């Protein structure tokens, strides 16, 4: 069958790389894609939120399966747009289901209704702003403030003092820092622990866990400096043993899927559980309605199953018949970013070294890149994600570092300590 993948980041290159290996995949199209996806399929220059243009491409290229990479088209209802066309399978939740990511207040209410462990919280708008200030004054430190809606990954602030929390709160609600997305703010307890991302594929009734990863979000080594989209990942994570996974499934994943089912929320797609391991007990920090980036760049290489077959099993309600198989090796990815990221950065820098012969156990996934004539240029903050297999996390990380030492672009920066706690 012909497949259309929406998105243009490292996550999409990894998904495209995986779909290309499927025996069911005839032609693979990526909209809009990047220089990396162009090596495994055909890029088409359409924005992920341009549903009319996507519909046209679906007809023109006889697409049977649409795989949605980023959250925005899901929150905007791409699933619902194609729902009545029975010839097309969309991998992703309905607009309603995407609220798990699209509204922090929705997801907190959902967790409360289904007794899913998460940080205690309250929500505020302009109407009860003064009450919110009082709530902050009485809150333990640090205080976590979250803009309700999508804010391009910038909507969460961890305030170390009441003063900072109060000014952030005012900035979000009164000064509309994120527009409508911050007209409502969730204030929650700070959870102390180690973060881990767990991924499931669900049909809204049944599910299969397809992997997990530890993401390194801060720009600086030793987890210092500003938050980014993710600077690197490792999998499998040593503390994700059977005992912990059992708790994650019983306390979080099963109740979440049961909740979707009970509330008649249509959901055929990925659920990303952003978890905190608090002294051996899992709590949900956030849900996302998509795969993670750069988590996908290690989760897809670890997954042995045919991805398009998994999507068909999901569509047919047959996930229970699927047996998930993993590569036994450790896998790490390290993200090379533009100088200045996560602040302002320049684009259009020539990337050199991509045509060097690369080791067999490494894969260079493109994130923010584009093709111009015969050159590959930088086109975003996160530029490349270099993934490697190894017999240990240390070996995998060292291999990726070796590959990165042969790649360059002006201002290139990457963390050399990915996986440091496990090495
Ligand atoms: P998000 O934008 O929802 O991914 O949140 C960004 C980051 O903020 C998360 O990855 C966590 O590191 C951190 N975070 C969010 N909520 C909490 C919380 N309640 N306690 C501690 N850290 C949190
Ligand atoms: N790496 C975290 C995310 O994709 O949201």
């Amino acid at each position: 069958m012909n497949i259309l993948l929406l998105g243009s980041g490292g996550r999409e290159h990894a998904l495209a790389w995986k779909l290309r290996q499927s025996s069911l995949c005839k032609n693979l199209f990526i909209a809009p894609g990047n220089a990396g996806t162009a090596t495994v399929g055909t890029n088409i220059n359409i924005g992920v939120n341009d549903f009319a243009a996507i519909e046209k491409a679906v007809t023109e290229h006889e697409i049977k399966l649409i795989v949605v990479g980023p959250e925005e088209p899901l929150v905007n209802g791409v699933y619902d747009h194609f729902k009545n066309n029975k010839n097309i399978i969309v991998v992703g939740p309905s607009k309603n289901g995407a609220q798990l990511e699209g509204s922090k207040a929705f997801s907190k209410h959902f967790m409360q209704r289904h007794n899913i462990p998460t940080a205690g919280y309250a929500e505020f708008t302009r109407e009860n702003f003064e009450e919110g200030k009082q709530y902050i004054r009485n809150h333990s430190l640090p205080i976590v403030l979250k803009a309700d809606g999508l804010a391009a990954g910038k909507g969460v602030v961890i305030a170390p003092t009441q003063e900072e929390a109060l000014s952030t709160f005012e900035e979000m609600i009164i000064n509309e820092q994120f527009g409508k997305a911050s007209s409502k703010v969730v204030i929650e307890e700070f959870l102390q622990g180690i973060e881990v991302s767990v991924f499931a594929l669900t049909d809204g009734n049944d599910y299969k866990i397809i992997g997990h990863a530890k993401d390194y979000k801060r720009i600086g080594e030793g987890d210092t400096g500003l938050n980014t989209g993710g600077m690197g990942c490792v999998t499998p994570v040593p503390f994700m043993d059977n005992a912990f996974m059992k708790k994650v499934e019983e306390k979080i994943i099963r109740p979440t899927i049961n909740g979707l089912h009970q509330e008649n929320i249509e959901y055929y797609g990925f659920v990303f559980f952003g978890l905190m391991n608090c002294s051996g007990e899992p709590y949900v920090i956030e849900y996302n309605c998509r795969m993670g980036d750069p988590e996908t760049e290690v989760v897809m290489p670890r997954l042995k199953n045919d991805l398009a077959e998994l999507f068909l099993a999901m569509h047919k309600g047959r996930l229970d018949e699927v047996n998930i198989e993993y590569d036994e090796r450790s896998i790490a990815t390290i993200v090379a970013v533009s100088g200045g990221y996560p602040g302002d950065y320049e684009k259009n820098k020539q990337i050199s070294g991509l045509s060097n012969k690369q080791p067999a156990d490494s894969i260079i996934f493109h994130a923010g890149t584009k093709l111009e004539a015969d050159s590959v240029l930088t086109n975003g903050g996160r530029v490349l994600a270099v993934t490697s297999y190894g017999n240990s996390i240390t070996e995998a990380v060292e291999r990726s570092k070796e590959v990165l030492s042969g790649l360059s672009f002006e201002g290139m920066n990457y963390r050399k300590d990915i996986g440091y706690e496990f090495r």
Side-chain angles (χ1 to χ4, degrees), residues 11-117:
R11 166 183 51 215
E12 284 74 24
H13 188 187
L15 288 169
W17 170 86
K18 185 71 180 159
L19 286 167
R20 184 69 277 167
Q21 295 166 45
S22 166
S23 59
L24 300 174
C25 178
K26 195 165 148 217
N27 296 303
L28 175 63
F29 298 90
I30 308 96
N34 60 34
T37 62
T39 64
V40 285
T42 307
N43 286 350
I44 40 183
N45 193 16
I46 297 175
V48 296
N49 292 303
D50 188 348
F51 298 171
I54 294 169
E55 196 173 328
K56 213 163 140 246
V58 162
T59 309
E60 187 184 334
H61 300 295
E62 298 177 355
I63 301 293
K64 288 281 174 289
L65 180 71
I66 304 176
V67 182
V68 187
E71 63 279 11
E72 223 190 318
L74 293 166
V75 172
N76 291 341
V78 69
Y79 172 91
D80 311 72
H81 187 91
F82 288 99
K83 191 174 139 174
N84 293 328
N85 187 335
K86 296 294 171 217
N87 295 320
I88 294 171
I89 304 169
V90 176
V91 180
S94 62
K95 187 172 181 165
N96 195 12
Q99 290 300 298
L100 280 186
E101 174 165 4
S103 166
K104 304 273 187 204
F106 176 95
S107 74
K108 293 299 273 190
H109 286 290
F110 180 89
M111 286 185 264
Q112 214 169 34
R113 283 197 293 278
H114 301 287
N115 282 318
I116 296 166

Side-chain angles (χ1 to χ4, degrees), residues 2 26-28 53 57 102 110 249 255 282 286 294-295 320 349 365:
N2 294 344
K26 195 165 148 217
N27 296 303
L28 175 63
F110 180 89
E249 284 207 63
E286 59 167 352
E295 287 93 333
D320 59 325
K349 307 290 181 194
F365 291 120

Side-chain angles (χ1 to χ4, degrees), residues 38 76-77 195 206 245 272 280 342 360 377 399 405:
N76 291 341
E195 271 184 84
D206 212 340
M245 276 311 290
F272 170 157
L377 305 181
R399 282 192 177 137
S405 69

Side-chain angles (χ1 to χ4, degrees), residues 295-311:
E295 287 93 333
T296 308
E297 290 94 301
V298 296
V299 167
M300 287 302 138
R302 182 166 176 242
L303 185 68
K304 283 190 164 172
N305 301 64
D306 180 313
L307 188 59
E309 270 180 24
L310 279 182
F311 292 150

Side-chain angles (χ1 to χ4, degrees), residues 9-14 17 34 36 215 230-233 292-298 301 331-337 351 354 361-369 381-388 399-401 403-404 407 409 412-414 418:
R11 166 183 51 215
E12 284 74 24
H13 188 187
W17 170 86
N34 60 34
D215 179 18
M231 296 294 290
C233 274
D293 194 353
E295 287 93 333
T296 308
E297 290 94 301
V298 296
I331 308 176
T333 196
I334 303 179
V335 180
V337 303
I351 306 172
L354 287 170
D361 16 31
S362 295
I363 313 157
I364 301 174
F365 291 120
H366 291 225
T369 71
R382 293 188 290 173
V383 177
L384 301 168
V386 178
T387 296
S388 301
R399 282 192 177 137
S400 282
K401 279 159 69 176
V403 172
L404 278 157
L407 301 172
F409 53 87
M412 174 169 137
N413 174 32
Y414 59 92
I418 297 304

Side-chain angles (χ1 to χ4, degrees), residues 181-250:
S182 66
S183 62
K184 189 185 279 176
V185 169
V186 166
I187 297 181
E188 67 176 34
E189 283 168 2
F190 180 78
L191 296 171
Q192 189 75 47
I194 311 178
E195 271 184 84
V196 63
S197 311
V198 177
F199 300 92
L201 184 68
T202 186
D203 57 13
N205 183 32
D206 212 340
Y207 69 88
K208 281 282 163 195
I209 294 174
I210 57 161
H212 72 264
K214 166 101 177 54
D215 179 18
Y216 294 79
K217 288 210 162 122
R218 303 295 196 95
I219 186 72
E221 285 171 15
D223 295 330
T224 54
L226 294 174
N227 244 332
T228 71
M231 296 294 290
C233 274
V234 298
T235 193
V237 175
F239 68 72
M240 296 294 280
D241 54 15
N242 289 340
F244 187 72
M245 276 311 290
K246 192 159 174 268
K247 286 187 193 170
V248 170
E249 284 207 63
E250 284 175 0

